[in-house]
Amino acid sequence: MARRADAANRLDDAARAGWLYYVAGRTQDEIAQTMGISRQSAQRLVSLAMSERLIKVRLDHPIAACLELGRALKDKFGLRQAEVVPSDPSSSSTTVGIAEAGAAEIERWLKSADPIIMAIGTGRTLKAAIDQLPAINCPQHRIVSLTGSIGVDGSAAVYNVIFSMADAVNARHFPMPLPVLVSSAEERDVLHNQLLVQSALSLGTKADVAFVGIGELGLDAPLCIDGFLARDEMSRLLEKGAAGEICGWMFDQDGTLLAGDINSRVASVPLPSRDKATVIGIAQGQRKRRALKAALTGGLLNGVITDELTAEHLLAS
């Protein structure tokens, strides 16, 4: 029994070392430092990951600690799904690891023989996940964008992923031909009555699964940097207790959508019903923690893909 446990622990270590080497791009010296082992041990663990066929295109061995964290997240927040990937404390990337995991989950849904409607949000993390997708032929599915595909200057939004996805996935795609925010609630109503927009709104309510990014708020948040919100508007939101956003929809620390001016101007498709759809948020890192916890607490999500450090914070707080 002890030998079996030792062998399982060694495979866990090999999987971790393999992930750091092949996914995070770390050298064997950096792996040794991160894991607190010698360089020779790091080299042997990477070799073991290969010989045991743990490494393919993606890591093929679930690390026990990550599995336990995923189970704990499901229990605490009542989730349908929770996937936790290893953390690389020395990395400054907010997408490495979870982008690959997100791509794998998106691919799993797209391989379904039964027709599904997949809704997609926007943002840097989702764009990184879509960039990891292989070419997939699935004409039976429909893919709809939850948020606007137009930037503040009328150009295509940089991090709207529906167009990137269309390059890899042979399925019918339905973009949302609007900006994230419009000037007034009245303008939103007029735009939402347009036939092209109505099709996206209708599909969004019928989605089987949705993948969304989690937006942090602050004067240096992407919404400000990308020009969607003025700094004074962001300051007012923070004063009202805003904690995060999903597809432009602002919510407080309890995960309750804010009433008032900003959300009345959001032109995005409303988030699919969590009773009917699996809504998976993809996020990691210290900047995302407050927003991600609020979204999970309020039931805006019923699925999550994150990393170890973020999962530990969510469970401890």
Side-chain angles (χ1 to χ4, degrees), residues 44-67:
R44 285 194 292 269
L45 287 173
V46 172
S47 297
L48 179 62
M50 288 297 296
S51 65
E52 292 292 328
R53 299 185 181 276
L54 306 182
I55 301 296
K56 296 179 182 176
V57 177
R58 302 184 181 102
L59 187 63
D60 201 34
H61 177 82
I63 295 173
C66 292
L67 287 176

mmCIF file with all atom_site columns, all heavy atoms in Angstrom, residues 44-67:
data_model
loop_
_atom_site.group_PDB
_atom_site.id
_atom_site.type_symbol
_atom_site.label_atom_id
_atom_site.label_alt_id
_atom_site.label_comp_id
_atom_site.label_asym_id
_atom_site.label_entity_id
_atom_site.label_seq_id
_atom_site.pdbx_PDB_ins_code
_atom_site.Cartn_x
_atom_site.Cartn_y
_atom_site.Cartn_z
_atom_site.occupancy
_atom_site.B_iso_or_equiv
_atom_site.pdbx_formal_charge
_atom_site.auth_seq_id
_atom_site.auth_comp_id
_atom_site.auth_asym_id
_atom_site.auth_atom_id
_atom_site.pdbx_PDB_model_num
ATOM 1   N N   . ARG A 1 44 ? 14.973  14.138 -14.034 1.00 0.00 ? 44 ARG A N   1
ATOM 2   C CA  . ARG A 1 44 ? 14.409  12.787 -14.001 1.00 0.00 ? 44 ARG A CA  1
ATOM 3   C C   . ARG A 1 44 ? 12.880  12.828 -13.992 1.00 0.00 ? 44 ARG A C   1
ATOM 4   O O   . ARG A 1 44 ? 12.227  11.991 -14.627 1.00 0.00 ? 44 ARG A O   1
ATOM 5   C CB  . ARG A 1 44 ? 14.926  12.036 -12.769 1.00 0.00 ? 44 ARG A CB  1
ATOM 6   C CG  . ARG A 1 44 ? 16.374  11.568 -12.893 1.00 0.00 ? 44 ARG A CG  1
ATOM 7   C CD  . ARG A 1 44 ? 16.723  10.558 -11.816 1.00 0.00 ? 44 ARG A CD  1
ATOM 8   N NE  . ARG A 1 44 ? 16.743  11.176 -10.500 1.00 0.00 ? 44 ARG A NE  1
ATOM 9   C CZ  . ARG A 1 44 ? 17.835  11.709 -9.945  1.00 0.00 ? 44 ARG A CZ  1
ATOM 10  N NH1 . ARG A 1 44 ? 18.984  11.710 -10.602 1.00 0.00 ? 44 ARG A NH1 1
ATOM 11  N NH2 . ARG A 1 44 ? 17.790  12.244 -8.736  1.00 0.00 ? 44 ARG A NH2 1
ATOM 12  N N   . LEU A 1 45 ? 12.308  13.794 -13.282 1.00 0.00 ? 45 LEU A N   1
ATOM 13  C CA  . LEU A 1 45 ? 10.852  13.887 -13.235 1.00 0.00 ? 45 LEU A CA  1
ATOM 14  C C   . LEU A 1 45 ? 10.268  14.262 -14.603 1.00 0.00 ? 45 LEU A C   1
ATOM 15  O O   . LEU A 1 45 ? 9.237   13.724 -15.016 1.00 0.00 ? 45 LEU A O   1
ATOM 16  C CB  . LEU A 1 45 ? 10.421  14.907 -12.180 1.00 0.00 ? 45 LEU A CB  1
ATOM 17  C CG  . LEU A 1 45 ? 10.586  14.474 -10.722 1.00 0.00 ? 45 LEU A CG  1
ATOM 18  C CD1 . LEU A 1 45 ? 10.298  15.634 -9.786  1.00 0.00 ? 45 LEU A CD1 1
ATOM 19  C CD2 . LEU A 1 45 ? 9.672   13.298 -10.406 1.00 0.00 ? 45 LEU A CD2 1
ATOM 20  N N   . VAL A 1 46 ? 10.918  15.172 -15.307 1.00 0.00 ? 46 VAL A N   1
ATOM 21  C CA  . VAL A 1 46 ? 10.460  15.535 -16.647 1.00 0.00 ? 46 VAL A CA  1
ATOM 22  C C   . VAL A 1 46 ? 10.547  14.320 -17.571 1.00 0.00 ? 46 VAL A C   1
ATOM 23  O O   . VAL A 1 46 ? 9.629   14.042 -18.355 1.00 0.00 ? 46 VAL A O   1
ATOM 24  C CB  . VAL A 1 46 ? 11.270  16.713 -17.214 1.00 0.00 ? 46 VAL A CB  1
ATOM 25  C CG1 . VAL A 1 46 ? 10.922  16.960 -18.676 1.00 0.00 ? 46 VAL A CG1 1
ATOM 26  C CG2 . VAL A 1 46 ? 11.017  17.976 -16.401 1.00 0.00 ? 46 VAL A CG2 1
ATOM 27  N N   . SER A 1 47 ? 11.645  13.546 -17.454 1.00 0.00 ? 47 SER A N   1
ATOM 28  C CA  . SER A 1 47 ? 11.806  12.332 -18.261 1.00 0.00 ? 47 SER A CA  1
ATOM 29  C C   . SER A 1 47 ? 10.740  11.299 -17.910 1.00 0.00 ? 47 SER A C   1
ATOM 30  O O   . SER A 1 47 ? 10.191  10.624 -18.791 1.00 0.00 ? 47 SER A O   1
ATOM 31  C CB  . SER A 1 47 ? 13.201  11.729 -18.042 1.00 0.00 ? 47 SER A CB  1
ATOM 32  O OG  . SER A 1 47 ? 14.208  12.616 -18.473 1.00 0.00 ? 47 SER A OG  1
ATOM 33  N N   . LEU A 1 48 ? 10.410  11.184 -16.616 1.00 0.00 ? 48 LEU A N   1
ATOM 34  C CA  . LEU A 1 48 ? 9.382   10.247 -16.187 1.00 0.00 ? 48 LEU A CA  1
ATOM 35  C C   . LEU A 1 48 ? 8.018   10.639 -16.748 1.00 0.00 ? 48 LEU A C   1
ATOM 36  O O   . LEU A 1 48 ? 7.226   9.771  -17.153 1.00 0.00 ? 48 LEU A O   1
ATOM 37  C CB  . LEU A 1 48 ? 9.319   10.203 -14.654 1.00 0.00 ? 48 LEU A CB  1
ATOM 38  C CG  . LEU A 1 48 ? 8.265   9.271  -14.039 1.00 0.00 ? 48 LEU A CG  1
ATOM 39  C CD1 . LEU A 1 48 ? 8.534   7.823  -14.431 1.00 0.00 ? 48 LEU A CD1 1
ATOM 40  C CD2 . LEU A 1 48 ? 8.244   9.418  -12.515 1.00 0.00 ? 48 LEU A CD2 1
ATOM 41  N N   . ALA A 1 49 ? 7.746   11.936 -16.775 1.00 0.00 ? 49 ALA A N   1
ATOM 42  C CA  . ALA A 1 49 ? 6.475   12.396 -17.338 1.00 0.00 ? 49 ALA A CA  1
ATOM 43  C C   . ALA A 1 49 ? 6.336   11.972 -18.795 1.00 0.00 ? 49 ALA A C   1
ATOM 44  O O   . ALA A 1 49 ? 5.253   11.606 -19.259 1.00 0.00 ? 49 ALA A O   1
ATOM 45  C CB  . ALA A 1 49 ? 6.363   13.918 -17.212 1.00 0.00 ? 49 ALA A CB  1
ATOM 46  N N   . MET A 1 50 ? 7.459   11.999 -19.523 1.00 0.00 ? 50 MET A N   1
ATOM 47  C CA  . MET A 1 50 ? 7.439   11.563 -20.916 1.00 0.00 ? 50 MET A CA  1
ATOM 48  C C   . MET A 1 50 ? 7.304   10.052 -21.027 1.00 0.00 ? 50 MET A C   1
ATOM 49  O O   . MET A 1 50 ? 6.476   9.536  -21.792 1.00 0.00 ? 50 MET A O   1
ATOM 50  C CB  . MET A 1 50 ? 8.717   12.032 -21.624 1.00 0.00 ? 50 MET A CB  1
ATOM 51  C CG  . MET A 1 50 ? 8.767   13.521 -21.886 1.00 0.00 ? 50 MET A CG  1
ATOM 52  S SD  . MET A 1 50 ? 7.457   14.082 -23.011 1.00 0.00 ? 50 MET A SD  1
ATOM 53  C CE  . MET A 1 50 ? 7.909   13.200 -24.509 1.00 0.00 ? 50 MET A CE  1
ATOM 54  N N   . SER A 1 51 ? 8.100   9.313  -20.255 1.00 0.00 ? 51 SER A N   1
ATOM 55  C CA  . SER A 1 51 ? 8.098   7.851  -20.370 1.00 0.00 ? 51 SER A CA  1
ATOM 56  C C   . SER A 1 51 ? 6.768   7.238  -19.937 1.00 0.00 ? 51 SER A C   1
ATOM 57  O O   . SER A 1 51 ? 6.367   6.187  -20.445 1.00 0.00 ? 51 SER A O   1
ATOM 58  C CB  . SER A 1 51 ? 9.245   7.252  -19.549 1.00 0.00 ? 51 SER A CB  1
ATOM 59  O OG  . SER A 1 51 ? 9.052   7.495  -18.158 1.00 0.00 ? 51 SER A OG  1
ATOM 60  N N   . GLU A 1 52 ? 6.095   7.876  -18.997 1.00 0.00 ? 52 GLU A N   1
ATOM 61  C CA  . GLU A 1 52 ? 4.796   7.387  -18.549 1.00 0.00 ? 52 GLU A CA  1
ATOM 62  C C   . GLU A 1 52 ? 3.649   7.920  -19.402 1.00 0.00 ? 52 GLU A C   1
ATOM 63  O O   . GLU A 1 52 ? 2.476   7.715  -19.086 1.00 0.00 ? 52 GLU A O   1
ATOM 64  C CB  . GLU A 1 52 ? 4.551   7.784  -17.082 1.00 0.00 ? 52 GLU A CB  1
ATOM 65  C CG  . GLU A 1 52 ? 5.461   7.087  -16.093 1.00 0.00 ? 52 GLU A CG  1
ATOM 66  C CD  . GLU A 1 52 ? 5.155   5.594  -15.999 1.00 0.00 ? 52 GLU A CD  1
ATOM 67  O OE1 . GLU A 1 52 ? 3.977   5.219  -16.166 1.00 0.00 ? 52 GLU A OE1 1
ATOM 68  O OE2 . GLU A 1 52 ? 6.098   4.819  -15.764 1.00 0.00 ? 52 GLU A OE2 1
ATOM 69  N N   . ARG A 1 53 ? 3.989   8.611  -20.466 1.00 0.00 ? 53 ARG A N   1
ATOM 70  C CA  . ARG A 1 53 ? 3.009   9.171  -21.406 1.00 0.00 ? 53 ARG A CA  1
ATOM 71  C C   . ARG A 1 53 ? 2.025   10.135 -20.730 1.00 0.00 ? 53 ARG A C   1
ATOM 72  O O   . ARG A 1 53 ? 0.850   10.197 -21.085 1.00 0.00 ? 53 ARG A O   1
ATOM 73  C CB  . ARG A 1 53 ? 2.246   8.045  -22.125 1.00 0.00 ? 53 ARG A CB  1
ATOM 74  C CG  . ARG A 1 53 ? 3.148   7.138  -22.933 1.00 0.00 ? 53 ARG A CG  1
ATOM 75  C CD  . ARG A 1 53 ? 2.348   6.117  -23.730 1.00 0.00 ? 53 ARG A CD  1
ATOM 76  N NE  . ARG A 1 53 ? 3.225   5.240  -24.479 1.00 0.00 ? 53 ARG A NE  1
ATOM 77  C CZ  . ARG A 1 53 ? 3.735   5.508  -25.671 1.00 0.00 ? 53 ARG A CZ  1
ATOM 78  N NH1 . ARG A 1 53 ? 3.461   6.669  -26.245 1.00 0.00 ? 53 ARG A NH1 1
ATOM 79  N NH2 . ARG A 1 53 ? 4.520   4.649  -26.285 1.00 0.00 ? 53 ARG A NH2 1
ATOM 80  N N   . LEU A 1 54 ? 2.519   10.853 -19.722 1.00 0.00 ? 54 LEU A N   1
ATOM 81  C CA  . LEU A 1 54 ? 1.700   11.888 -19.103 1.00 0.00 ? 54 LEU A CA  1
ATOM 82  C C   . LEU A 1 54 ? 1.636   13.130 -19.979 1.00 0.00 ? 54 LEU A C   1
ATOM 83  O O   . LEU A 1 54 ? 0.711   13.931 -19.868 1.00 0.00 ? 54 LEU A O   1
ATOM 84  C CB  . LEU A 1 54 ? 2.263   12.272 -17.723 1.00 0.00 ? 54 LEU A CB  1
ATOM 85  C CG  . LEU A 1 54 ? 2.488   11.133 -16.725 1.00 0.00 ? 54 LEU A CG  1
ATOM 86  C CD1 . LEU A 1 54 ? 2.999   11.701 -15.413 1.00 0.00 ? 54 LEU A CD1 1
ATOM 87  C CD2 . LEU A 1 54 ? 1.201   10.359 -16.505 1.00 0.00 ? 54 LEU A CD2 1
ATOM 88  N N   . ILE A 1 55 ? 2.647   13.306 -20.809 1.00 0.00 ? 55 ILE A N   1
ATOM 89  C CA  . ILE A 1 55 ? 2.734   14.477 -21.674 1.00 0.00 ? 55 ILE A CA  1
ATOM 90  C C   . ILE A 1 55 ? 2.330   14.101 -23.084 1.00 0.00 ? 55 ILE A C   1
ATOM 91  O O   . ILE A 1 55 ? 2.923   13.224 -23.704 1.00 0.00 ? 55 ILE A O   1
ATOM 92  C CB  . ILE A 1 55 ? 4.159   15.056 -21.674 1.00 0.00 ? 55 ILE A CB  1
ATOM 93  C CG1 . ILE A 1 55 ? 4.583   15.452 -20.271 1.00 0.00 ? 55 ILE A CG1 1
ATOM 94  C CG2 . ILE A 1 55 ? 4.266   16.238 -22.622 1.00 0.00 ? 55 ILE A CG2 1
ATOM 95  C CD1 . ILE A 1 55 ? 3.765   16.562 -19.664 1.00 0.00 ? 55 ILE A CD1 1
ATOM 96  N N   . LYS A 1 56 ? 1.284   14.743 -23.570 1.00 0.00 ? 56 LYS A N   1
ATOM 97  C CA  . LYS A 1 56 ? 0.916   14.654 -24.982 1.00 0.00 ? 56 LYS A CA  1
ATOM 98  C C   . LYS A 1 56 ? 0.940   16.094 -25.483 1.00 0.00 ? 56 LYS A C   1
ATOM 99  O O   . LYS A 1 56 ? 1.922   16.789 -25.291 1.00 0.00 ? 56 LYS A O   1
ATOM 100 C CB  . LYS A 1 56 ? -0.449  13.991 -25.126 1.00 0.00 ? 56 LYS A CB  1
ATOM 101 C CG  . LYS A 1 56 ? -0.450  12.521 -24.642 1.00 0.00 ? 56 LYS A CG  1
ATOM 102 C CD  . LYS A 1 56 ? -1.822  11.895 -24.765 1.00 0.00 ? 56 LYS A CD  1
ATOM 103 C CE  . LYS A 1 56 ? -1.796  10.465 -24.229 1.00 0.00 ? 56 LYS A CE  1
ATOM 104 N NZ  . LYS A 1 56 ? -3.144  9.846  -24.250 1.00 0.00 ? 56 LYS A NZ  1
ATOM 105 N N   . VAL A 1 57 ? -0.160  16.535 -26.066 1.00 0.00 ? 57 VAL A N   1
ATOM 106 C CA  . VAL A 1 57 ? -0.248  17.961 -26.388 1.00 0.00 ? 57 VAL A CA  1
ATOM 107 C C   . VAL A 1 57 ? -0.560  18.747 -25.124 1.00 0.00 ? 57 VAL A C   1
ATOM 108 O O   . VAL A 1 57 ? -0.073  19.824 -24.903 1.00 0.00 ? 57 VAL A O   1
ATOM 109 C CB  . VAL A 1 57 ? -1.321  18.204 -27.463 1.00 0.00 ? 57 VAL A CB  1
ATOM 110 C CG1 . VAL A 1 57 ? -1.484  19.696 -27.747 1.00 0.00 ? 57 VAL A CG1 1
ATOM 111 C CG2 . VAL A 1 57 ? -0.951  17.470 -28.735 1.00 0.00 ? 57 VAL A CG2 1
ATOM 112 N N   . ARG A 1 58 ? -1.389  18.119 -24.268 1.00 0.00 ? 58 ARG A N   1
ATOM 113 C CA  . ARG A 1 58 ? -1.714  18.710 -22.980 1.00 0.00 ? 58 ARG A CA  1
ATOM 114 C C   . ARG A 1 58 ? -1.341  17.726 -21.890 1.00 0.00 ? 58 ARG A C   1
ATOM 115 O O   . ARG A 1 58 ? -1.206  16.531 -22.127 1.00 0.00 ? 58 ARG A O   1
ATOM 116 C CB  . ARG A 1 58 ? -3.207  19.031 -22.888 1.00 0.00 ? 58 ARG A CB  1
ATOM 117 C CG  . ARG A 1 58 ? -3.707  19.974 -23.975 1.00 0.00 ? 58 ARG A CG  1
ATOM 118 C CD  . ARG A 1 58 ? -5.174  20.306 -23.717 1.00 0.00 ? 58 ARG A CD  1
ATOM 119 N NE  . ARG A 1 58 ? -5.672  21.184 -24.761 1.00 0.00 ? 58 ARG A NE  1
ATOM 120 C CZ  . ARG A 1 58 ? -6.429  20.756 -25.770 1.00 0.00 ? 58 ARG A CZ  1
ATOM 121 N NH1 . ARG A 1 58 ? -6.790  19.498 -25.856 1.00 0.00 ? 58 ARG A NH1 1
ATOM 122 N NH2 . ARG A 1 58 ? -6.837  21.595 -26.692 1.00 0.00 ? 58 ARG A NH2 1
ATOM 123 N N   . LEU A 1 59 ? -1.222  18.208 -20.679 1.00 0.00 ? 59 LEU A N   1
ATOM 124 C CA  . LEU A 1 59 ? -0.926  17.344 -19.550 1.00 0.00 ? 59 LEU A CA  1
ATOM 125 C C   . LEU A 1 59 ? -2.050  16.338 -19.371 1.00 0.00 ? 59 LEU A C   1
ATOM 126 O O   . LEU A 1 59 ? -3.215  16.687 -19.321 1.00 0.00 ? 59 LEU A O   1
ATOM 127 C CB  . LEU A 1 59 ? -0.768  18.188 -18.286 1.00 0.00 ? 59 LEU A CB  1
ATOM 128 C CG  . LEU A 1 59 ? -0.292  17.467 -17.035 1.00 0.00 ? 59 LEU A CG  1
ATOM 129 C CD1 . LEU A 1 59 ? 1.098   16.897 -17.228 1.00 0.00 ? 59 LEU A CD1 1
ATOM 130 C CD2 . LEU A 1 59 ? -0.298  18.427 -15.861 1.00 0.00 ? 59 LEU A CD2 1
ATOM 131 N N   . ASP A 1 60 ? -1.693  15.049 -19.248 1.00 0.00 ? 60 ASP A N   1
ATOM 132 C CA  . ASP A 1 60 ? -2.681  13.986 -19.230 1.00 0.00 ? 60 ASP A CA  1
ATOM 133 C C   . ASP A 1 60 ? -2.742  13.271 -17.880 1.00 0.00 ? 60 ASP A C   1
ATOM 134 O O   . ASP A 1 60 ? -3.155  12.126 -17.793 1.00 0.00 ? 60 ASP A O   1
ATOM 135 C CB  . ASP A 1 60 ? -2.372  12.972 -20.347 1.00 0.00 ? 60 ASP A CB  1
ATOM 136 C CG  . ASP A 1 60 ? -3.585  12.143 -20.726 1.00 0.00 ? 60 ASP A CG  1
ATOM 137 O OD1 . ASP A 1 60 ? -4.694  12.682 -20.664 1.00 0.00 ? 60 ASP A OD1 1
ATOM 138 O OD2 . ASP A 1 60 ? -3.408  10.960 -21.057 1.00 0.00 ? 60 ASP A OD2 1
ATOM 139 N N   . HIS A 1 61 ? -2.300  13.943 -16.833 1.00 0.00 ? 61 HIS A N   1
ATOM 140 C CA  . HIS A 1 61 ? -2.352  13.340 -15.500 1.00 0.00 ? 61 HIS A CA  1
ATOM 141 C C   . HIS A 1 61 ? -2.890  14.358 -14.514 1.00 0.00 ? 61 HIS A C   1
ATOM 142 O O   . HIS A 1 61 ? -2.299  15.417 -14.323 1.00 0.00 ? 61 HIS A O   1
ATOM 143 C CB  . HIS A 1 61 ? -0.954  12.900 -15.055 1.00 0.00 ? 61 HIS A CB  1
ATOM 144 C CG  . HIS A 1 61 ? -0.956  12.329 -13.657 1.00 0.00 ? 61 HIS A CG  1
ATOM 145 N ND1 . HIS A 1 61 ? -1.311  11.042 -13.389 1.00 0.00 ? 61 HIS A ND1 1
ATOM 146 C CD2 . HIS A 1 61 ? -0.660  12.880 -12.471 1.00 0.00 ? 61 HIS A CD2 1
ATOM 147 C CE1 . HIS A 1 61 ? -1.219  10.817 -12.093 1.00 0.00 ? 61 HIS A CE1 1
ATOM 148 N NE2 . HIS A 1 61 ? -0.827  11.930 -11.510 1.00 0.00 ? 61 HIS A NE2 1
ATOM 149 N N   . PRO A 1 62 ? -4.041  14.090 -13.920 1.00 0.00 ? 62 PRO A N   1
ATOM 150 C CA  . PRO A 1 62 ? -4.581  15.049 -12.953 1.00 0.00 ? 62 PRO A CA  1
ATOM 151 C C   . PRO A 1 62 ? -3.800  15.017 -11.651 1.00 0.00 ? 62 PRO A C   1
ATOM 152 O O   . PRO A 1 62 ? -3.659  13.971 -11.028 1.00 0.00 ? 62 PRO A O   1
ATOM 153 C CB  . PRO A 1 62 ? -6.021  14.561 -12.740 1.00 0.00 ? 62 PRO A CB  1
ATOM 154 C CG  . PRO A 1 62 ? -5.958  13.100 -13.044 1.00 0.00 ? 62 PRO A CG  1
ATOM 155 C CD  . PRO A 1 62 ? -4.902  12.924 -14.092 1.00 0.00 ? 62 PRO A CD  1
ATOM 156 N N   . ILE A 1 63 ? -3.277  16.151 -11.237 1.00 0.00 ? 63 ILE A N   1
ATOM 157 C CA  . ILE A 1 63 ? -2.519  16.211 -9.988  1.00 0.00 ? 63 ILE A CA  1
ATOM 158 C C   . ILE A 1 63 ? -3.504  16.128 -8.827  1.00 0.00 ? 63 ILE A C   1
ATOM 159 O O   . ILE A 1 63 ? -4.512  16.826 -8.792  1.00 0.00 ? 63 ILE A O   1
ATOM 160 C CB  . ILE A 1 63 ? -1.695  17.508 -9.930  1.00 0.00 ? 63 ILE A CB  1
ATOM 161 C CG1 . ILE A 1 63 ? -0.641  17.483 -11.050 1.00 0.00 ? 63 ILE A CG1 1
ATOM 162 C CG2 . ILE A 1 63 ? -1.029  17.688 -8.576  1.00 0.00 ? 63 ILE A CG2 1
ATOM 163 C CD1 . ILE A 1 63 ? 0.116   18.772 -11.201 1.00 0.00 ? 63 ILE A CD1 1
ATOM 164 N N   . ALA A 1 64 ? -3.178  15.253 -7.879  1.00 0.00 ? 64 ALA A N   1
ATOM 165 C CA  . ALA A 1 64 ? -4.121  14.968 -6.794  1.00 0.00 ? 64 ALA A CA  1
ATOM 166 C C   . ALA A 1 64 ? -4.532  16.230 -6.045  1.00 0.00 ? 64 ALA A C   1
ATOM 167 O O   . ALA A 1 64 ? -5.708  16.421 -5.724  1.00 0.00 ? 64 ALA A O   1
ATOM 168 C CB  . ALA A 1 64 ? -3.507  13.947 -5.833  1.00 0.00 ? 64 ALA A CB  1
ATOM 169 N N   . ALA A 1 65 ? -3.572  17.116 -5.763  1.00 0.00 ? 65 ALA A N   1
ATOM 170 C CA  . ALA A 1 65 ? -3.898  18.340 -5.025  1.00 0.00 ? 65 ALA A CA  1
ATOM 171 C C   . ALA A 1 65 ? -4.883  19.212 -5.794  1.00 0.00 ? 65 ALA A C   1
ATOM 172 O O   . ALA A 1 65 ? -5.789  19.811 -5.210  1.00 0.00 ? 65 ALA A O   1
ATOM 173 C CB  . ALA A 1 65 ? -2.618  19.118 -4.723  1.00 0.00 ? 65 ALA A CB  1
ATOM 174 N N   . CYS A 1 66 ? -4.728  19.258 -7.118  1.00 0.00 ? 66 CYS A N   1
ATOM 175 C CA  . CYS A 1 66 ? -5.635  20.054 -7.942  1.00 0.00 ? 66 CYS A CA  1
ATOM 176 C C   . CYS A 1 66 ? -7.034  19.441 -7.945  1.00 0.00 ? 66 CYS A C   1
ATOM 177 O O   . CYS A 1 66 ? -8.044  20.155 -7.901  1.00 0.00 ? 66 CYS A O   1
ATOM 178 C CB  . CYS A 1 66 ? -5.100  20.157 -9.361  1.00 0.00 ? 66 CYS A CB  1
ATOM 179 S SG  . CYS A 1 66 ? -3.581  21.125 -9.507  1.00 0.00 ? 66 CYS A SG  1
ATOM 180 N N   . LEU A 1 67 ? -7.096  18.107 -7.988  1.00 0.00 ? 67 LEU A N   1
ATOM 181 C CA  . LEU A 1 67 ? -8.389  17.435 -7.950  1.00 0.00 ? 67 LEU A CA  1
ATOM 182 C C   . LEU A 1 67 ? -9.121  17.725 -6.635  1.00 0.00 ? 67 LEU A C   1
ATOM 183 O O   . LEU A 1 67 ? -10.335 17.973 -6.621  1.00 0.00 ? 67 LEU A O   1
ATOM 184 C CB  . LEU A 1 67 ? -8.203  15.924 -8.114  1.00 0.00 ? 67 LEU A CB  1
ATOM 185 C CG  . LEU A 1 67 ? -7.842  15.428 -9.508  1.00 0.00 ? 67 LEU A CG  1
ATOM 186 C CD1 . LEU A 1 67 ? -7.594  13.926 -9.473  1.00 0.00 ? 67 LEU A CD1 1
ATOM 187 C CD2 . LEU A 1 67 ? -8.931  15.755 -10.509 1.00 0.00 ? 67 LEU A CD2 1
#
